[in-house]
């Protein structure tokens, strides 16, 4: 049976081997991609259209835009767009009487 310290040494050696193998494979992959790009005369725009980089997400064109209110509380003047959770002043009420 191996001791705890021996197992830790083995794990460290394995982690080094894993890191080396990853570096080699990444280097090979990059070289292969560069060769394909050069062979086919591709540009960065061809490979990554619209300038989107890996890992970046794009927002919807309507994200963050203001929406006109649809309902108004005549007592306080507060408004609500009709999106999300309804405010307390309009809950359990006929929304038609609050329509703008």
């Amino acid at each position: 049976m191996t001791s705890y310290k021996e197992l830790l040494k083995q794990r460290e050696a394995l982690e080094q081997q894993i890191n080396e193998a990853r570096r080699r494979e990444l280097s090979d992959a990059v070289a292969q991609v560069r060769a394909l790009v050069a062979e086919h005369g591709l540009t960065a725009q061809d490979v990554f259209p619209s300038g989107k980089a890996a890992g970046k997400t794009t927002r919807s064109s309507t994200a963050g835009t203001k929406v006109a209110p649809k309902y108004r509380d005549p007592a306080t003047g507060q408004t609500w767009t009709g999106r999300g959770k309804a405010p307390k002043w309009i809950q359990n009420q006929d929304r038609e009487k609050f329509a703008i």
Side-chain angles (χ1 to χ4, degrees):
M1 185 151 189
T2 55
S3 73
Y4 176 71
K5 287 184 181 183
E6 290 171 343
L7 290 172
L8 287 177
K9 286 180 185 179
Q10 288 176 3
R11 182 175 70 179
E12 188 176 320
L14 277 174
E15 286 176 354
Q16 287 177 350
Q17 289 176 351
I18 289 169
N19 288 335
E20 276 183 42
R22 178 164 169 73
R23 277 195 299 269
R24 272 195 316 271
E25 289 181 16
L26 283 176
S27 176
D28 292 345
V30 168
Q32 188 177 10
V33 168
R34 286 183 177 160
L36 286 170
V37 166
E39 178 182 340
H40 295 284
L42 299 173
T43 64
Q45 188 65 26
D46 294 331
V47 178
F48 303 106
S50 352
K52 293 179 186 173
K56 290 188 178 180
T57 58
T58 58
R59 294 183 69 188
S60 167
S61 62
T62 59
T65 59
K66 295 284 183 181
V67 178
K70 291 183 180 180
Y71 307 100
R72 181 183 316 274
D73 181 9
T76 64
Q78 291 181 320
T79 59
W80 180 51
T81 62
R83 295 184 176 182
K85 185 177 178 183
K88 290 186 180 195
W89 55 264
I90 202 169
Q91 286 179 347
N92 302 324
Q93 306 246 358
D94 180 26
R95 293 183 181 175
E96 284 298 315
K97 63 182 181 179
F98 295 101
I100 297 178

